[in-house]
Amino acid sequence: MRRALSMALVGWVLMAPSIDCARRGLENDTPLSEWEQMGKFLSASNCEQYRATVVEAEKSERGNAYVDRYAHSVCVPADDPRLKKQ
């Protein structure tokens, strides 16, 4: 119960890989701490709903790195230890 309450207070963030302009591709192999924050949300479901909406709206633009990054994005708790720089 305490963990659920603390997660509710912390919030969620949508993280997406950075774009390597020289390669014209996503930097999927980098640690999550190096990804870009695309939004903050009150709940995991709000984050996932936003992510799914963007992916669905942009699916006709496959091959565009700016669109593909949402397909590779993830929702994580704002206090996720993987977000801290090493």
Side-chain angles (χ1 to χ4, degrees), residues 24-76:
R24 292 185 171 203
L26 300 176
E27 295 181 348
N28 291 333
D29 298 333
T30 58
L32 194 60
S33 62
E34 295 178 20
W35 286 26
E36 294 180 47
Q37 183 176 308
M38 306 304 288
K40 293 181 181 182
F41 303 88
L42 295 177
S43 69
S45 61
N46 287 349
C47 183
E48 289 294 345
Q49 183 178 17
Y50 175 79
R51 181 186 170 283
T53 299
V54 172
V55 168
E56 180 64 26
E58 303 293 340
K59 71 180 178 183
S60 65
E61 302 250 350
R62 285 283 183 228
N64 179 334
Y66 291 97
V67 174
D68 288 345
R69 72 192 313 201
Y70 276 100
H72 291 89
S73 65
V74 293
C75 293
V76 296

Side-chain angles (χ1 to χ4, degrees), residues 4-16:
L5 181 58
S6 70
M7 289 179 74
L9 297 174
V10 170
W12 289 75
V13 292
L14 178 62
M15 301 297 293

